[in-house]
Amino acid sequence: MKKFLLGWFLGWLAIIAGAYLFVRSGHAPVATQSGPLPLETFFAKTALHAAVAPAARLKSPLPANSDNFFGGVMVYNHNCAFCHGEPNHPSQIAKGMFPPPPQLFNPDEMVTDDPVGITYWKVKNGIRLSGMPAFHAKLSEEQMWQVSLLLRNANKLPPAVEAALK
Ligand code: HEC
């Protein structure tokens, strides 16, 4: 039993020392062009999904109508388009970021399938170590819901709203 415990302890020590040496050697990916570490994406996505899941129950206090979409456009153009792009105009800055900000008006990257409460949570609280800021100090509750409603409906916006995004 003693030998087993010693082996177990030395095994863990070797793993921790190896990880420390890897980081100290300068080989850990820190530039935005470097790819993710093994399992990095899995752990980051799993942690985010688990933390955000309860927000799916949040109901928007505002209706999804043109007034609120236009309010969302004002918020989006000033605070988000820089990283998340506009319809048919992907952000150039996004290409230099890791993880890259999804282009929220590109049909393949939209968050139209996410409950609006999930998007509101991300806008309000941000996503640590990703470049996605928290907007609770910058935007009002109304503005955060308006931009969340806009993104939830990004694939079926009235043409006038879509035109205002450009
Ligand atoms: C400085 C760049 C930057 C700005 C400005 C920014 N974001 Fe983000 N955003 C990101 C990044 C990077 C991610 C990806 C995070 C990840 O992969 O976990 C992200 C993720 C998101 C997501 C989750 C997307 C998904 O697929 O689940 C939403 C929603 C979002 N942002 C909305 C917004 C809104 C709304 C604004 C403006 C109020 C905004 N962001 C401003 C960088 C930014």
Side-chain angles (χ1 to χ4, degrees):
M1 184 66 181
K2 255 189 186 171
K3 266 191 184 163
F4 170 78
L5 281 176
L6 187 70
W8 185 82
F9 175 74
L10 288 177
W12 274 108
L13 204 65
I15 291 172
I16 294 167
Y20 177 75
L21 288 175
F22 173 66
V23 170
R24 281 299 305 224
S25 70
H27 288 95
V30 287
T32 57
Q33 304 98 298
S34 314
L37 284 169
L39 297 180
E40 181 181 343
T41 309
F42 167 76
F43 279 115
K45 278 196 189 309
T46 307
L48 180 66
H49 186 76
V52 176
R57 289 194 299 267
L58 296 176
K59 294 268 175 293
S60 171
L62 306 174
N65 61 22
S66 281
D67 279 356
N68 287 318
F69 292 153
F70 277 117
V73 169
M74 290 291 285
V75 174
Y76 190 86
N77 285 349
H78 286 111
N79 300 278
C80 323
F82 175 70
C83 285
H84 290 293
E86 293 157 354
N88 302 317
H89 287 282
S91 155
Q92 294 305 308
I93 295 286
K95 294 184 180 148
M97 290 181 68
F98 182 90
Q103 299 305 291
L104 298 172
F105 285 95
N106 170 342
D108 295 337
E109 298 179 50
M110 289 178 170
V111 288
T112 45
D113 286 344
D114 285 352
V116 70
I118 297 271
T119 295
Y120 163 82
W121 190 101
K122 291 176 181 171
V123 173
K124 182 171 187 172
N125 299 298
I127 303 172
R128 202 171 156 123
L129 298 181
S130 80
M132 169 61 193
F135 285 92
H136 60 83
K138 167 107 201 288
L139 301 176
S140 66
E141 281 293 312
E142 185 184 39
Q143 289 174 311
M144 290 189 287
W145 279 113
Q146 283 177 329
V147 78
S148 303
L149 287 170
L150 178 80
L151 295 176
R152 173 80 171 93
N153 293 282
N155 54 353
K156 46 177 184 286
L157 292 171
V161 174
E162 198 155 333
L165 275 162
K166 291 170 194 159

